[in-house]
Amino acid sequence: SAFYTGYLHCGYVNNSAKKAIGGIDGDPISDSFLARIYGGEGADNQRHPDVIIPLADATTIFNYLPSPEPAAIRYEGSYRLVYFGFGFEAITSNIPSQSLGSRTRLLNNILGWFGVPTEVKETRVCHSTPSGYTLLQNYPNPFNATTVIRYQLSADGGRPSAVSLKIYNILGQEVKTLVDGGKLAGNYRVVWDGRDNSGNDVSSGVYFYRLEVIGERLKVERTRKMILLR
């Protein structure tokens, strides 16, 4: 229909028999997100989830797993929207696996991308333990509403390291504290919504984000630059 293609910016392909979804690397909403859409505490009502394709400036943000069939899209133009080919209520994380995301986490990601103020959420992504300390380039960059910052922590004798991740303006003034606490080895991601410590929108410009790690036997500092365009 015109509403489906003209407003939702997607097309229907067919139904899928897949019951798991996976995010797209680097996407501000779905990066490192894995979930099931049956069982657990979810609605368990998705018998024939739709396979959809993005149209006209829309982007795939989730695929059905294991074979990549588009499951959800986002559109950014004169308005923003996120559309799923299945019921959001079916997402379940009540499975004995730390790698599965929750509805709450996904909703926070979506609201952050819409520019709705949300509490800063950090996620530990369970892959193999990193061999070093790395601060990755934020994505997207430049960005408008939200951006994802990822970092990796190596093992320090099995003990947590003191970790801080802060954002500074070009004058070296602290703008936002994203992380401040003890962290175990792992891969982490945090979303910044372009607001300062007081909850106010910051202006367009160049910003720096700095990772500082203090362990029992080391101190590591990493800094990268990003650009905010309002």
Side-chain angles (χ1 to χ4, degrees), residues 125-192:
V125 184
C126 294
H127 299 307
S128 58
T129 301
S131 58
Y133 297 85
T134 306
L135 179 62
L136 302 173
Q137 186 64 53
N138 65 303
Y139 179 87
N141 184 47
F143 69 101
N144 175 266
T146 63
T147 190
V148 176
I149 298 173
R150 292 183 291 174
Y151 64 95
Q152 301 171 337
L153 304 178
S154 183
D156 184 25
R159 300 178 180 85
S161 298
V163 177
S164 73
L165 179 61
K166 298 183 178 182
I167 296 172
Y168 298 87
N169 60 24
I170 58 174
L171 300 178
Q173 300 167 326
E174 181 183 323
V175 172
K176 179 74 173 182
T177 297
L178 297 175
V179 179
D180 187 13
K183 302 291 178 185
L184 292 170
N187 300 273
Y188 293 85
R189 69 188 294 276
V190 61
V191 178
W192 183 41

Side-chain angles (χ1 to χ4, degrees), residues 4-95:
Y4 205 80
T5 58
Y7 183 77
L8 296 180
H9 293 271
C10 66
Y12 169 77
V13 179
N14 52 36
N15 294 132
S16 175
K18 309 299 189 303
K19 300 298 184 180
I21 58 170
I24 305 299
D25 287 346
D27 187 84
I29 292 175
S30 67
D31 178 67
S32 303
F33 194 100
L34 296 172
R36 289 192 351 189
I37 56 174
Y38 74 99
E41 88 285 13
D44 199 21
N45 59 355
Q46 302 302 295
R47 300 295 178 260
H48 305 288
D50 293 343
V51 177
I52 56 178
I53 57 172
L55 304 175
D57 299 331
T59 303
T60 298
I61 60 172
F62 280 104
N63 286 317
Y64 294 109
L65 300 177
S67 59
E69 300 172 324
I73 63 100
R74 62 178 171 86
Y75 169 75
E76 181 175 7
S78 57
Y79 55 91
R80 290 186 175 195
L81 69 81
V82 174
Y83 179 71
F84 293 88
F86 56 89
F88 188 84
E89 73 278 5
I91 295 174
T92 178
S93 59
N94 188 20
I95 308 293

